[in-house]
Amino acid sequence: MAIKSLEINSKEIHLMKPVTSADYSGKTVLTNSSWEYVELWLKRQSSEKSKRALFYWSQAKNFYIASENLPIESRPLTSYYCCMNAAKALLAIKGPDSIDFDNLSHGISSDRRQWGKSNNIKNAEVVFSGSGVLFELSKYFKEEAGKKIYSVYDLMYNIPCIHRAFSLTYSCPELFIPIRDIKFIVDSELKKGWVQFQVDERYANGNSLRYVPKQYEKVKYQDSTKYLMRKKQRFAWDIHGDKKQRLEALSKYHGSIRKDLLYIYGDARLWYIKKDIDTNQHILKRNSITLIFAVFHWLSELVRYNPEKFESLMKTNQNWLIHEFVDNSLYQYIDEISCEITENDIMTSGYRK
């Protein structure tokens, strides 16, 4: 086989952060704040959809700024409204024209009388509705959309950016396997390409790898001692074919692998592959964006209508998990939404703003 790393414009490409569609012909955006970058990107689009999206994006930014200056017992409320408006910005620019934003509900609810005397989030539930922002967001990411009840425990269990805190809180096995050097490989003879990555040495063992999704397989080249894996599915890549068609095929393939490969926001690209365990009923096939949206809604209702319950929750062994979620998940959420709106890889150039 004549195999090599896929290059576009003489540059070796790596997996990008957007989920549904990614611009692999563009360069990584370096900025101190994705807020301004997305704002200016929307202004350049000059359409009615972009004007509406810009309004929601500005609202989200204002709630974000307010959240930065509030204590933890108040921050979930403004953080949730930041999430909701950012989601509406995404849906306004990328969603279907049929969405009626003037009559769009939140798409999620929870029973404010639930729990009883319990302070365990395993007993807390939210209801995903059959309409509203979260419903449209789920449809956008091609997830299950409709009325369904989820436990807050399950929602938080599936969020990568707080998973270490979750596994420490509940003493449960980790759900995400660290991976790196994610690249696309092409075979010029077969005119096919695939994604390939290296599994972190600490997890390159049978106990972890037996739960890697079945659509991935081990690959070992003669000159490599690294534990490499690739997706069995291939995409068409003929270097002599039409460039636009090649990029479209790559973008479509990208959308299929981003359901399995997830990242944590930071100064460096930290990627993970999510385990697929048939017997684990707590695993949800959902994007971090819909999960974080749902948990922030639950927390916002809690601090707004039952602050005493929130105070008692913060005195349990779950307080570190709640703290980490409130402190980190909004950064993750906005980074993912920003990349999704622009189809770009956006990385911080040094510090958060």
Side-chain angles (χ1 to χ4, degrees), residues 19-21 90-91 94-96 134-146 251-252 255-256 259 285-287 290 340:
V19 176
T20 60
S21 182
L90 171 62
L91 292 170
K94 303 289 286 291
L134 186 54
F135 173 78
E136 296 293 346
L137 204 57
S138 298
K139 286 203 302 181
Y140 173 84
F141 287 112
K142 296 180 172 59
E143 299 175 353
E144 181 179 359
S251 183
K252 183 177 180 180
S256 70
K259 295 180 182 298
K285 296 186 181 300
R286 285 195 168 273
N287 184 277
T290 55
E340 193 64 26

Side-chain angles (χ1 to χ4, degrees), residues 33 54 92 94 114 177 199 218 224-225 251 279 322 347:
S33 171
L54 182 60
K94 303 289 286 291
Q114 67 178 317
I177 300 173
V199 178
K218 179 182 178 181
S224 176
T225 58
S251 183
T279 57
I322 300 297
M347 297 294 296

